[in-house]
PDB file of all heavy atoms in Angstrom:
ATOM      1  N   LEU I 456     158.465  29.837  67.052  1.00  0.00           N
ATOM      2  CA  LEU I 456     158.693  28.695  66.177  1.00  0.00           C
ATOM      3  C   LEU I 456     160.140  28.199  66.248  1.00  0.00           C
ATOM      4  O   LEU I 456     160.389  26.988  66.278  1.00  0.00           O
ATOM      5  CB  LEU I 456     158.283  29.005  64.762  1.00  0.00           C
ATOM      6  CG  LEU I 456     156.784  29.110  64.519  1.00  0.00           C
ATOM      7  CD1 LEU I 456     156.516  29.522  63.058  1.00  0.00           C
ATOM      8  CD2 LEU I 456     156.073  27.830  64.812  1.00  0.00           C
ATOM      9  N   GLY I 457     161.066  29.132  66.292  1.00  0.00           N
ATOM     10  CA  GLY I 457     162.477  28.757  66.415  1.00  0.00           C
ATOM     11  C   GLY I 457     162.777  28.055  67.710  1.00  0.00           C
ATOM     12  O   GLY I 457     163.517  27.054  67.779  1.00  0.00           O
ATOM     13  N   PHE I 458     162.178  28.586  68.782  1.00  0.00           N
ATOM     14  CA  PHE I 458     162.347  27.952  70.115  1.00  0.00           C
ATOM     15  C   PHE I 458     161.759  26.538  70.128  1.00  0.00           C
ATOM     16  O   PHE I 458     162.372  25.603  70.639  1.00  0.00           O
ATOM     17  CB  PHE I 458     161.685  28.833  71.178  1.00  0.00           C
ATOM     18  CG  PHE I 458     161.766  28.231  72.553  1.00  0.00           C
ATOM     19  CD1 PHE I 458     162.969  28.204  73.269  1.00  0.00           C
ATOM     20  CD2 PHE I 458     160.636  27.665  73.154  1.00  0.00           C
ATOM     21  CE1 PHE I 458     163.016  27.633  74.525  1.00  0.00           C
ATOM     22  CE2 PHE I 458     160.669  27.104  74.397  1.00  0.00           C
ATOM     23  CZ  PHE I 458     161.894  27.098  75.085  1.00  0.00           C
ATOM     24  N   ILE I 459     160.556  26.382  69.595  1.00  0.00           N
ATOM     25  CA  ILE I 459     159.893  25.081  69.528  1.00  0.00           C
ATOM     26  C   ILE I 459     160.733  24.099  68.703  1.00  0.00           C
ATOM     27  O   ILE I 459     160.907  22.933  69.086  1.00  0.00           O
ATOM     28  CB  ILE I 459     158.441  25.186  69.026  1.00  0.00           C
ATOM     29  CG1 ILE I 459     157.589  25.942  70.065  1.00  0.00           C
ATOM     30  CG2 ILE I 459     157.890  23.815  68.717  1.00  0.00           C
ATOM     31  CD1 ILE I 459     156.194  26.257  69.555  1.00  0.00           C
ATOM     32  N   GLY I 460     161.236  24.574  67.578  1.00  0.00           N
ATOM     33  CA  GLY I 460     162.066  23.737  66.734  1.00  0.00           C
ATOM     34  C   GLY I 460     163.346  23.267  67.441  1.00  0.00           C
ATOM     35  O   GLY I 460     163.740  22.127  67.361  1.00  0.00           O
ATOM     36  N   ALA I 461     163.974  24.224  68.126  1.00  0.00           N
ATOM     37  CA  ALA I 461     165.183  23.886  68.894  1.00  0.00           C
ATOM     38  C   ALA I 461     164.865  22.896  70.006  1.00  0.00           C
ATOM     39  O   ALA I 461     165.644  21.963  70.263  1.00  0.00           O
ATOM     40  CB  ALA I 461     165.811  25.155  69.468  1.00  0.00           C
ATOM     41  N   LEU I 462     163.744  23.076  70.656  1.00  0.00           N
ATOM     42  CA  LEU I 462     163.324  22.182  71.757  1.00  0.00           C
ATOM     43  C   LEU I 462     163.088  20.756  71.202  1.00  0.00           C
ATOM     44  O   LEU I 462     163.560  19.766  71.789  1.00  0.00           O
ATOM     45  CB  LEU I 462     162.098  22.702  72.433  1.00  0.00           C
ATOM     46  CG  LEU I 462     161.615  21.935  73.640  1.00  0.00           C
ATOM     47  CD1 LEU I 462     162.635  21.908  74.779  1.00  0.00           C
ATOM     48  CD2 LEU I 462     160.330  22.519  74.190  1.00  0.00           C
ATOM     49  N   VAL I 463     162.386  20.659  70.088  1.00  0.00           N
ATOM     50  CA  VAL I 463     162.103  19.349  69.485  1.00  0.00           C
ATOM     51  C   VAL I 463     163.410  18.675  69.041  1.00  0.00           C
ATOM     52  O   VAL I 463     163.622  17.493  69.249  1.00  0.00           O
ATOM     53  CB  VAL I 463     161.154  19.516  68.284  1.00  0.00           C
ATOM     54  CG1 VAL I 463     161.083  18.249  67.440  1.00  0.00           C
ATOM     55  CG2 VAL I 463     159.753  19.904  68.766  1.00  0.00           C
ATOM     56  N   LEU I 464     164.334  19.435  68.450  1.00  0.00           N
ATOM     57  CA  LEU I 464     165.613  18.907  68.011  1.00  0.00           C
ATOM     58  C   LEU I 464     166.410  18.398  69.222  1.00  0.00           C
ATOM     59  O   LEU I 464     167.014  17.311  69.151  1.00  0.00           O
ATOM     60  CB  LEU I 464     166.400  19.976  67.261  1.00  0.00           C
ATOM     61  CG  LEU I 464     167.739  19.533  66.699  1.00  0.00           C
ATOM     62  CD1 LEU I 464     167.543  18.449  65.636  1.00  0.00           C
ATOM     63  CD2 LEU I 464     168.460  20.706  66.092  1.00  0.00           C
ATOM     64  N   THR I 465     166.416  19.153  70.303  1.00  0.00           N
ATOM     65  CA  THR I 465     167.090  18.747  71.507  1.00  0.00           C
ATOM     66  C   THR I 465     166.516  17.426  72.077  1.00  0.00           C
ATOM     67  O   THR I 465     167.278  16.551  72.467  1.00  0.00           O
ATOM     68  CB  THR I 465     167.006  19.851  72.599  1.00  0.00           C
ATOM     69  OG1 THR I 465     167.556  21.063  72.078  1.00  0.00           O
ATOM     70  CG2 THR I 465     167.751  19.462  73.842  1.00  0.00           C
ATOM     71  N   ILE I 466     165.204  17.333  72.101  1.00  0.00           N
ATOM     72  CA  ILE I 466     164.554  16.122  72.612  1.00  0.00           C
ATOM     73  C   ILE I 466     164.891  14.927  71.742  1.00  0.00           C
ATOM     74  O   ILE I 466     165.202  13.842  72.238  1.00  0.00           O
ATOM     75  CB  ILE I 466     163.016  16.327  72.714  1.00  0.00           C
ATOM     76  CG1 ILE I 466     162.724  17.310  73.831  1.00  0.00           C
ATOM     77  CG2 ILE I 466     162.296  15.018  72.947  1.00  0.00           C
ATOM     78  CD1 ILE I 466     161.284  17.763  73.895  1.00  0.00           C
ATOM     79  N   VAL I 467     164.891  15.099  70.396  1.00  0.00           N
ATOM     80  CA  VAL I 467     165.212  14.020  69.501  1.00  0.00           C
ATOM     81  C   VAL I 467     166.650  13.555  69.688  1.00  0.00           C
ATOM     82  O   VAL I 467     166.949  12.376  69.793  1.00  0.00           O
ATOM     83  CB  VAL I 467     164.949  14.412  68.034  1.00  0.00           C
ATOM     84  CG1 VAL I 467     165.563  13.417  67.058  1.00  0.00           C
ATOM     85  CG2 VAL I 467     163.510  14.579  67.775  1.00  0.00           C
ATOM     86  N   ILE I 468     167.585  14.476  69.798  1.00  0.00           N
ATOM     87  CA  ILE I 468     168.997  14.166  70.014  1.00  0.00           C
ATOM     88  C   ILE I 468     169.171  13.440  71.347  1.00  0.00           C
ATOM     89  O   ILE I 468     169.896  12.432  71.442  1.00  0.00           O
ATOM     90  CB  ILE I 468     169.852  15.421  69.920  1.00  0.00           C
ATOM     91  CG1 ILE I 468     169.911  15.922  68.476  1.00  0.00           C
ATOM     92  CG2 ILE I 468     171.271  15.135  70.458  1.00  0.00           C
ATOM     93  CD1 ILE I 468     170.594  17.276  68.293  1.00  0.00           C
ATOM     94  N   LEU I 469     168.511  13.932  72.366  1.00  0.00           N
ATOM     95  CA  LEU I 469     168.579  13.263  73.686  1.00  0.00           C
ATOM     96  C   LEU I 469     168.041  11.856  73.657  1.00  0.00           C
ATOM     97  O   LEU I 469     168.631  10.939  74.208  1.00  0.00           O
ATOM     98  CB  LEU I 469     167.831  14.112  74.729  1.00  0.00           C
ATOM     99  CG  LEU I 469     167.883  13.644  76.179  1.00  0.00           C
ATOM    100  CD1 LEU I 469     169.349  13.630  76.686  1.00  0.00           C
ATOM    101  CD2 LEU I 469     167.043  14.518  77.064  1.00  0.00           C
ATOM    102  N   ALA I 470     166.943  11.641  72.983  1.00  0.00           N
ATOM    103  CA  ALA I 470     166.365  10.295  72.860  1.00  0.00           C
ATOM    104  C   ALA I 470     167.319   9.401  72.085  1.00  0.00           C
ATOM    105  O   ALA I 470     167.511   8.197  72.497  1.00  0.00           O
ATOM    106  CB  ALA I 470     165.049  10.369  72.106  1.00  0.00           C
ATOM    107  N   ILE I 471     167.962   9.854  71.073  1.00  0.00           N
ATOM    108  CA  ILE I 471     168.944   9.048  70.293  1.00  0.00           C
ATOM    109  C   ILE I 471     170.158   8.694  71.177  1.00  0.00           C
ATOM    110  O   ILE I 471     170.574   7.531  71.182  1.00  0.00           O
ATOM    111  CB  ILE I 471     169.407   9.796  69.017  1.00  0.00           C
ATOM    112  CG1 ILE I 471     168.245   9.879  68.008  1.00  0.00           C
ATOM    113  CG2 ILE I 471     170.602   9.117  68.420  1.00  0.00           C
ATOM    114  CD1 ILE I 471     168.512  10.757  66.808  1.00  0.00           C
ATOM    115  N   VAL I 472     170.619   9.600  71.954  1.00  0.00           N
ATOM    116  CA  VAL I 472     171.757   9.364  72.873  1.00  0.00           C
ATOM    117  C   VAL I 472     171.360   8.290  73.873  1.00  0.00           C
ATOM    118  O   VAL I 472     172.162   7.340  74.155  1.00  0.00           O
ATOM    119  CB  VAL I 472     172.213  10.661  73.536  1.00  0.00           C
ATOM    120  CG1 VAL I 472     173.163  10.358  74.709  1.00  0.00           C
ATOM    121  CG2 VAL I 472     172.877  11.568  72.543  1.00  0.00           C
ATOM    122  N   ILE I 473     170.173   8.376  74.447  1.00  0.00           N
ATOM    123  CA  ILE I 473     169.729   7.413  75.472  1.00  0.00           C
ATOM    124  C   ILE I 473     169.628   6.015  74.820  1.00  0.00           C
ATOM    125  O   ILE I 473     170.075   5.020  75.411  1.00  0.00           O
ATOM    126  CB  ILE I 473     168.384   7.829  76.065  1.00  0.00           C
ATOM    127  CG1 ILE I 473     168.609   9.056  76.966  1.00  0.00           C
ATOM    128  CG2 ILE I 473     167.720   6.699  76.862  1.00  0.00           C
ATOM    129  CD1 ILE I 473     167.320   9.684  77.465  1.00  0.00           C
ATOM    130  N   VAL I 474     169.035   5.945  73.645  1.00  0.00           N
ATOM    131  CA  VAL I 474     168.876   4.620  72.980  1.00  0.00           C
ATOM    132  C   VAL I 474     170.244   4.026  72.643  1.00  0.00           C
ATOM    133  O   VAL I 474     170.478   2.850  72.885  1.00  0.00           O
ATOM    134  CB  VAL I 474     168.032   4.768  71.689  1.00  0.00           C
ATOM    135  CG1 VAL I 474     168.109   3.532  70.835  1.00  0.00           C
ATOM    136  CG2 VAL I 474     166.603   5.068  72.068  1.00  0.00           C
ATOM    137  N   VAL I 475     171.175   4.819  72.117  1.00  0.00           N
ATOM    138  CA  VAL I 475     172.516   4.293  71.781  1.00  0.00           C
ATOM    139  C   VAL I 475     173.256   3.842  73.016  1.00  0.00           C
ATOM    140  O   VAL I 475     173.850   2.756  73.024  1.00  0.00           O
ATOM    141  CB  VAL I 475     173.298   5.353  71.024  1.00  0.00           C
ATOM    142  CG1 VAL I 475     174.751   4.988  70.892  1.00  0.00           C
ATOM    143  CG2 VAL I 475     172.720   5.588  69.640  1.00  0.00           C
ATOM    144  N   LYS I 476     173.184   4.622  74.116  1.00  0.00           N
ATOM    145  CA  LYS I 476     173.878   4.229  75.344  1.00  0.00           C
ATOM    146  C   LYS I 476     173.256   2.940  75.900  1.00  0.00           C
ATOM    147  O   LYS I 476     173.966   2.060  76.383  1.00  0.00           O
ATOM    148  CB  LYS I 476     173.754   5.327  76.408  1.00  0.00           C
ATOM    149  CG  LYS I 476     174.770   6.399  76.272  1.00  0.00           C
ATOM    150  CD  LYS I 476     174.688   7.309  77.486  1.00  0.00           C
ATOM    151  CE  LYS I 476     175.988   8.048  77.629  1.00  0.00           C
ATOM    152  NZ  LYS I 476     176.042   8.807  78.853  1.00  0.00           N
ATOM    153  N   ASN I 477     171.936   2.806  75.824  1.00  0.00           N
ATOM    154  CA  ASN I 477     171.277   1.647  76.310  1.00  0.00           C
ATOM    155  C   ASN I 477     171.668   0.404  75.520  1.00  0.00           C
ATOM    156  O   ASN I 477     171.936  -0.657  76.076  1.00  0.00           O
ATOM    157  CB  ASN I 477     169.753   1.827  76.262  1.00  0.00           C
ATOM    158  CG  ASN I 477     169.002   0.708  76.917  1.00  0.00           C
ATOM    159  OD1 ASN I 477     169.405   0.258  77.993  1.00  0.00           O
ATOM    160  ND2 ASN I 477     167.922   0.237  76.302  1.00  0.00           N
ATOM    161  N   GLN I 478     171.768   0.510  74.217  1.00  0.00           N
ATOM    162  CA  GLN I 478     172.117  -0.615  73.363  1.00  0.00           C
ATOM    163  C   GLN I 478     173.596  -1.027  73.620  1.00  0.00           C
ATOM    164  O   GLN I 478     173.916  -2.223  73.633  1.00  0.00           O
ATOM    165  CB  GLN I 478     171.904  -0.289  71.872  1.00  0.00           C
ATOM    166  CG  GLN I 478     170.463  -0.137  71.554  1.00  0.00           C
ATOM    167  CD  GLN I 478     169.607  -1.313  71.911  1.00  0.00           C
ATOM    168  OE1 GLN I 478     169.993  -2.462  71.670  1.00  0.00           O
ATOM    169  NE2 GLN I 478     168.427  -1.078  72.511  1.00  0.00           N
ATOM    170  N   LYS I 479     174.456  -0.057  73.825  1.00  0.00           N
ATOM    171  CA  LYS I 479     175.854  -0.345  74.135  1.00  0.00           C
ATOM    172  C   LYS I 479     175.959  -1.063  75.466  1.00  0.00           C
ATOM    173  O   LYS I 479     176.763  -1.996  75.642  1.00  0.00           O
ATOM    174  CB  LYS I 479     176.677   0.914  74.111  1.00  0.00           C
ATOM    175  CG  LYS I 479     177.012   1.399  72.765  1.00  0.00           C
ATOM    176  CD  LYS I 479     177.908   2.647  72.843  1.00  0.00           C
ATOM    177  CE  LYS I 479     178.262   3.165  71.460  1.00  0.00           C
ATOM    178  NZ  LYS I 479     179.120   4.361  71.505  1.00  0.00           N
TER     179      LYS I 479
END
Side-chain angles (χ1 to χ4, degrees):
L456 288 175
F458 177 74
I459 292 172
L462 183 62
V463 168
L464 183 63
T465 303
I466 291 171
V467 168
I468 290 172
L469 184 60
I471 291 170
V472 167
I473 289 172
V474 168
V475 168
K476 277 188 159 188
N477 188 43
Q478 294 304 317
K479 283 183 181 179

